[in-house]
């Protein structure tokens, strides 16, 4: 089983749509959770950390379900500039490394 | 806003040659990392470095790889004898401290092509 699994997409949505991405992780000892975005041939950039209580940052909402080992990202009112690959990332307890999923590609069309 | 920088942006080398990839982490950060991303694949952890020594490394980080912080600002990744399969984008990252929700900031990467 992959350490971090994501639906590769692509998700092709119109501007203004709401889109949700899901992610599962295999290591129950994982301690920290993030969503990064990556534009084509660029570096990963932190979108948001994911907290147990769920958290929101503008149009973006992240949820964590530790019991199900499941992380989600909701994007409301999609913009053209949201087109990118969204990376689910976990960090195991007592480890410095980030473990990346393969990413979910989002295409927002006019 | 402080950022991680990397040089060169692109490197082409012949198989068997040594390459050194350079990174300048964010100035007050204490933890440094190298990751790689083979074209079309996911980002993979290589190594983490703290207090002038390796704190963790992956299976990818074999004897052909080494890291160094030669002065107070640079952090380097050396590949001693490159192989075709070393062709990838190499990202340097740094973080300030290892807290519960630590944030690693990534540099723009060095694209390495081994011929």
């Amino acid at each position: 089983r992959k350490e971090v699994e994501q639906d590769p997409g692509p998700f092709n949505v119109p501007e203004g749509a709401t889109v949700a991405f899901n992610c599962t992780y295999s290591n129950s000892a994982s301690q920290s959770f993030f969503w990064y975005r990556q534009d084509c041939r660029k570096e990963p950039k932190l979108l948001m950390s994911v907290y147990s209580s769920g958290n929101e940052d503008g149009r973006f909402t992240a949820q964590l379900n530790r019991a199900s080992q499941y992380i989600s990202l909701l994007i409301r009112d999609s913009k053209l500039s949201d087109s990118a690959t969204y990376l689910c990332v976990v960090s195991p307890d007592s480890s410095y490394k980030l473990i990346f999923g393969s990413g979910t590609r989002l295409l927002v069309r006019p | 806003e402080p950022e991680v920088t990397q040089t060169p942006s692109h490197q082409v080398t012949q198989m068997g040659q040594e390459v050194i990839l350079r990174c300048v982490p964010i100035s007050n950060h204490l933890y440094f990392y190298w990751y790689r991303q083979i074209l079309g694949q996911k980002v993979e952890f290589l190594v983490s470095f703290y207090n002038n020594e390796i704190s963790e490394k992956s299976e990818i980080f074999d004897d052909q790889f080494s890291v160094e912080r030669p002065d107070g600002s640079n952090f380097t990744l050396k590949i001693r004898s490159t192989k075709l399969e070393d062709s990838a984008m190499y990202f340097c990252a740094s973080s300030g401290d290892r807290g519960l929700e630590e944030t690693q900031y990534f540099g723009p990467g060095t694209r390495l092509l081994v011929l």
Side-chain angles (χ1 to χ4, degrees):
Chain A
R1 184 182 171 187
K2 291 181 183 177
E3 290 184 280
V4 180
E5 287 205 67
Q6 295 183 252
D7 181 342
F11 285 55
N12 191 325
V13 302
E15 267 187 294
T18 296
V19 61
F21 304 136
N22 303 318
C23 166
T24 56
Y25 60 95
S26 60
N27 185 351
S28 59
S30 296
Q31 188 69 16
S32 303
F33 309 89
F34 310 92
W35 284 100
Y36 277 74
R37 72 170 273 169
Q38 186 175 32
D39 294 289
C40 190
R41 294 178 176 262
K42 300 285 188 180
E43 74 273 25
K45 290 187 176 177
L46 179 69
L47 182 65
M48 58 197 303
S49 301
V50 187
Y51 304 122
S52 297
S53 54
N55 49 298
E56 188 173 306
D57 183 1
R59 298 182 292 110
F60 300 87
T61 301
Q63 297 279 350
L64 169 64
N65 184 322
R66 286 185 183 269
S68 303
Q69 295 176 207
Y70 171 92
I71 308 163
S72 66
L73 176 69
L74 184 77
I75 305 176
R76 290 180 299 278
D77 188 23
S78 300
K79 311 291 185 193
L80 295 177
S81 57
D82 293 335
S83 296
T85 296
Y86 289 82
L87 307 174
C88 178
V89 183
V90 306
S91 184
D93 190 20
S94 72
S95 172
Y96 297 89
K97 66 184 179 185
L98 296 181
I99 301 172
F100 285 78
S102 299
T104 298
R105 192 164 168 225
L106 172 65
L107 301 171
V108 181
R109 63 181 187 271
Chain B
E1 183 179 322
E3 57 185 21
V4 177
T5 59
Q6 290 185 243
T7 54
S9 59
H10 294 78
Q11 174 95 47
V12 181
T13 190
Q14 296 289 327
M15 190 170 58
Q17 295 296 305
E18 174 183 287
V19 295
I20 297 176
L21 310 183
R22 292 183 168 80
C23 168
V24 178
I26 294 173
S27 62
N28 62 342
H29 280 185
L30 303 174
Y31 292 81
F32 315 112
Y33 313 84
W34 284 101
Y35 293 82
R36 80 170 186 191
Q37 186 175 30
I38 295 170
L39 188 63
Q41 298 187 23
K42 64 180 182 179
V43 177
E44 300 174 290
F45 169 79
L46 293 178
V47 66
S48 60
F49 191 87
Y50 169 71
N51 200 26
N52 280 321
E53 60 182 26
I54 291 173
S55 44
E56 188 174 0
K57 60 183 180 180
S58 72
E59 291 176 355
I60 303 168
F61 195 89
D62 62 22
D63 292 344
Q64 294 300 312
F65 291 88
S66 62
V67 289
E68 194 177 36
R69 187 159 162 82
D71 53 44
S73 59
N74 290 285
F75 179 50
T76 62
L77 174 69
K78 181 192 291 187
I79 310 175
R80 264 180 273 280
S81 178
T82 50
K83 304 187 283 286
L84 296 177
E85 55 265 37
D86 293 329
S87 295
M89 180 74 101
Y90 288 81
F91 294 110
C92 175
S94 69
S95 63
D97 195 2
R98 193 178 183 278
L100 184 61
E101 285 118 15
E102 188 45 55
T103 298
Q104 294 183 23
Y105 295 91
F106 284 74
T110 294
R111 185 169 297 282
L112 176 65
L113 178 60
V114 182
L115 302 176

